[in-house]
Amino acid sequence: MFLFQEKLYKVEIEWALRDTERKVVGKRNLFQKAFFNLLKNAIEAMDEIQGKGKIKIEHYYKNGQIHIKVSDTGVGIPEDKLKLLGTPFFSTKSEGTGLGLTQVYTTIHKHGGNISVQSVVGKGTTFHVQLPVK
């Protein structure tokens, strides 16, 4: 979060962290890049709205998996574009490359996890990551 300090003046951050003692086995640097990209996208979604936005980060354990949700109150993603997320060079942003989300999807799947997205245009987006606990 400190890497985004200059952008956080417009964003309220809410933390809902449970079961933080549970560990996921994997490549730390890949996870750091993946979650960096999810947070970057959430913050950038706030740049396009008027007023102050909100990002909620949740972490909990359920059914043998760590669940991490990154939700924002940004511009949202049209339903017809959701299936394309994670595809190289597809972006909903005018100046985006889509490679950040490609890295996110690749990292999560390489570690045996799953990622899903829910979004409503004008209301925001939630990325839900599920990773197995080993």
Side-chain angles (χ1 to χ4, degrees):
M1 295 305 295
F2 295 115
L3 296 173
F4 301 109
Q5 242 175 317
E6 76 282 353
K7 297 234 179 205
L8 292 180
Y9 68 93
K10 281 181 58 177
V11 179
E12 177 187 341
I13 306 291
E14 180 183 338
W15 298 90
L17 307 177
R18 298 188 317 262
D19 308 314
T20 57
E21 73 283 353
R22 301 281 185 162
K23 304 287 183 209
V24 172
V25 176
K27 297 197 178 210
R28 175 181 287 218
N29 64 328
L30 291 179
F31 282 130
Q32 285 176 331
K33 286 179 192 175
F35 289 107
F36 172 88
N37 282 314
L38 284 179
L39 289 170
K40 180 177 178 280
N41 284 345
I43 290 168
E44 288 173 353
M46 300 298 150
D47 286 345
E48 298 182 38
I49 64 170
Q50 301 296 322
K52 189 169 183 156
K54 182 176 180 179
I55 295 174
K56 182 175 183 180
I57 301 167
E58 298 176 78
H59 177 287
Y60 59 93
Y61 174 81
K62 184 178 176 184
N63 298 329
Q65 295 188 318
I66 294 291
H67 295 254
I68 302 159
K69 292 183 178 182
V70 177
S71 303
D72 66 63
T73 58
V75 294
I77 303 166
E79 190 173 337
D80 62 323
K81 307 284 188 220
L82 289 176
K83 290 179 240 145
L84 297 171
L85 293 178
T87 304
F89 305 109
F90 172 77
S91 178
T92 59
K93 296 179 243 172
S94 60
E95 296 187 22
T97 63
L99 295 178
L101 275 182
T102 299
Q103 190 274 332
V104 171
Y105 277 72
T106 300
T107 297
I108 300 308
H109 290 132
K110 274 187 179 179
H111 288 87
N114 186 40
I115 184 167
S116 59
V117 187
Q118 292 182 321
S119 190
V120 176
V121 173
K123 299 240 185 235
T125 302
T126 297
F127 282 87
H128 183 178
V129 174
Q130 300 171 31
L131 293 163
V133 173
K134 302 204 178 189

